[in-house]
Amino acid sequence: MPKLDLGKLDDPEVWRKIPILDKDTLRALSDTQFYSEFCHTQHDGVSEFWRSGGVTGAPLFYPRTFKDIEVGLESFARTFDCAGAGRGERAHVSFPLGIHPVGQIYARCATSRGITVNWAGSGTSTPSALQLELIQRLKPTIWLGMSGYALHLANLAEAKGIDLAKLGIKHVMCSAEPVSQAKRDKIERTFGARLTDNFGMTEAGMMGSEDVPGAGFRIWSDLYYIEVLDPKSLEPAKEGEVGTLVVTALQTNNVTPFLRWSSGDLVTYSEADDGAGPFSVFPRIKHAHRTAGFFKIRGVNLGHQDLEDFIFRHVEIGDFRAEAVNEGDNDILRLCIEVKKGVEQERLLGMLAAKVKETFELTPQVVVLETGTLAKEFEANIKTARFVDRRG
């Protein structure tokens, strides 16, 4: 850290002298270094620990103070407001519970909005079949969880002859995974509900929410200072240009000083708009979805997001998993799909293979699975393993 005039941190030139902090920097620290050299020792007391998300290797556990949690609960609760969910409603929380903060913070903050909560957790703590039973019995109006798990519940419901769209859920609230338009359409169709996506990170907290579906996230700029920078020069990107997101939490990092934290997200930024709606005072960011993974199969780069969008546009397909495999020294794209009841499989398989070839220049090997198979395989995972490279 260079010597800074702390009285001039609101001067952009002074602020940008602070080095950007990224995951590689954290990976280089031992546990002892992180807690004794990086973290603040003077604060109002550690309330709990939040597990770092997405960092390879041994995770760090971030100390959160009582003040951090007080502010954090409010930042999560605002997402209920953006979704239009409020007092008197009932929520079924299917986010993981435990050392990943999102599930338990969502369940705790609902109280401030007068919302009843069922702390179901993910499929690891409450099996998916039991989750469906609880939804039928307790009749929630809000379902919260990862978008991938929403799809798994919908597929399992279909296998059991349960019509989710008729169970009274009005709001689906997701976070932690990208939600493409095709995935959004599929979830809204199967749940009979409006999907609101939300954006946060363990290093900061819940940072924002959609107030208009698909338009991007309103960022709580009273709680988080964000910068969108040119990925190469690290100079401020212009409004509407794709840049790398850099975040400084203003009130929720009283132990962990994540100044100018680079999350790796590539986004576009737009200023607060014309005042239409209670959240219009906040700026928006929208993901560019350029950090999604890809398979390289026989020289073809196959983007995971592109393939997911393509598959979910086919309403005959309930769920899928894509695998890169090697058979006889030849790389192959294998699509494992679940087909909805009443669909003529041979016609679908022929059409699907032809359209994949036309769209991605690869002829896939298509395998049909019994409905509900993927939900059972996926439910033990925190995030959906929808793309798997099995080539070793």
Side-chain angles (χ1 to χ4, degrees):
M1 182 75 74
K3 187 172 179 59
L4 300 171
D5 184 342
L6 299 183
K8 295 183 178 179
L9 288 178
D10 56 350
D11 182 332
E13 294 303 316
V14 175
W15 178 258
R16 285 200 289 269
K17 291 179 181 178
I18 299 173
I20 290 175
L21 177 66
D22 58 23
K23 293 177 181 179
D24 287 336
T25 305
L26 289 187
R27 289 188 187 109
L29 298 175
S30 67
D31 255 17
T32 301
Q33 287 177 308
F34 178 73
Y35 292 112
S36 65
E37 299 175 19
F38 184 88
C39 292
H40 285 303
T41 56
Q42 295 185 359
H43 45 75
D44 66 324
V46 173
S47 172
E48 58 194 67
F49 291 87
W50 287 7
R51 183 191 188 279
S52 62
V55 179
T56 58
L60 288 167
F61 290 84
Y62 303 143
R64 290 287 173 255
T65 73
F66 292 97
K67 179 64 176 178
D68 292 340
I69 299 304
E70 179 186 331
V71 175
L73 287 167
E74 173 59 24
S75 70
F76 272 76
R78 288 180 184 179
T79 67
F80 285 114
D81 304 333
C82 272
R87 181 168 296 277
E89 300 208 53
R90 188 173 297 176
H92 181 104
V93 178
S94 291
F95 281 112
L97 298 172
I99 56 176
H100 287 273
V102 60
Q104 46 99 350
I105 295 291
Y106 254 131
R108 288 154 61 187
C109 77
T111 300
S112 70
R113 297 305 191 261
I115 296 171
T116 304
V117 175
N118 179 16
W119 296 54
S122 66
T124 55
S125 55
T126 304
S128 298
L130 178 55
Q131 299 226 15
L132 290 175
E133 181 184 331
L134 291 171
I135 290 171
Q136 290 176 288
R137 290 176 59 190
L138 302 180
K139 296 179 171 50
T141 55
I142 312 165
W143 182 88
L144 299 98
M146 295 186 186
S147 56
Y149 192 54
L151 293 171
H152 302 331
L153 279 182
N155 293 326
L156 189 59
E158 183 185 10
K160 291 179 172 292
I162 301 169
D163 189 348
L164 270 182
K166 294 182 178 179
L167 297 184
I169 296 172
K170 297 187 296 183
H171 311 281
V172 171
M173 297 175 62
C174 296
S175 190
E177 292 180 336
V179 177
S180 65
Q181 188 59 49
K183 185 187 281 188
R184 182 188 301 272
D185 291 343
K186 183 176 177 63
I187 291 172
E188 291 187 335
R189 185 171 60 247
T190 54
F191 275 74
R194 179 177 182 263
L195 188 152
T196 301
D197 198 15
N198 304 286
F199 175 64
M201 58 187 71
T202 319
E203 291 76 18
M206 184 57 71
M207 293 177 54
S209 180
E210 295 179 327
D211 59 344
V212 176
F217 303 105
R218 295 286 189 183
I219 297 297
W220 320 137
S221 52
D222 56 333
L223 304 179
Y224 307 99
Y225 177 65
I226 65 168
E227 303 168 76
V228 179
L229 307 179
D230 181 278
K232 293 182 179 179
S233 69
L234 297 182
E235 291 297 314
K238 294 179 181 178
E239 186 171 347
E241 290 183 349
V242 175
T244 187
L245 179 64
V246 173
V247 180
T248 301
L250 302 177
Q251 299 188 49
T252 56
N253 268 330
N254 290 297
V255 182
T256 52
F258 289 124
L259 300 179
R260 306 194 78 200
W261 167 257
S262 175
S263 63
D265 294 274
L266 291 174
V267 302
T268 57
Y269 173 90
S270 58
E271 293 285 356
D273 47 36
D274 60 2
F279 292 93
S280 61
V281 296
F282 295 115
R284 271 199 184 105
I285 63 167
K286 187 171 184 178
H287 277 89
H289 295 306
R290 290 192 186 175
T291 54
F294 65 91
F295 289 143
K296 188 159 188 173
I297 299 176
R298 298 202 297 275
V300 175
N301 288 334
L302 180 60
H304 293 172
Q305 190 73 58
D306 295 332
L307 182 59
E308 181 177 86
D309 285 353
F310 172 86
I311 295 292
F312 283 144
R313 289 192 192 103
H314 294 79
V315 296
E316 306 95 332
I317 298 174
D319 206 350
F320 82 99
R321 180 176 61 221
E323 302 174 350
V325 298
N326 186 273
E327 293 185 356
D329 296 325
N330 193 26
D331 286 348
I332 292 173
L333 171 65
R334 177 186 293 155
L335 295 177
C336 303
I337 65 172
E338 296 180 8
V339 180
K340 291 197 170 183
K341 293 179 180 178
V343 174
E344 185 183 336
Q345 290 192 12
E346 284 192 21
R347 181 196 62 79
L348 174 63
L349 298 188
M351 179 272 293
L352 184 64
K355 285 196 172 182
V356 171
K357 171 66 174 175
E358 176 185 337
T359 306
F360 301 105
E361 300 180 349
L362 286 170
T363 300
Q365 179 187 92
V366 184
V367 178
V368 177
L369 303 176
E370 183 180 349
T371 299
T373 300
L374 292 173
K376 293 175 184 176
E377 290 181 11
F378 289 156
E379 72 175 21
N381 297 320
I382 293 171
K383 291 191 179 181
T384 304
R386 195 179 298 285
F387 300 91
V388 182
D389 195 330
R390 301 194 186 281
R391 291 173 292 187

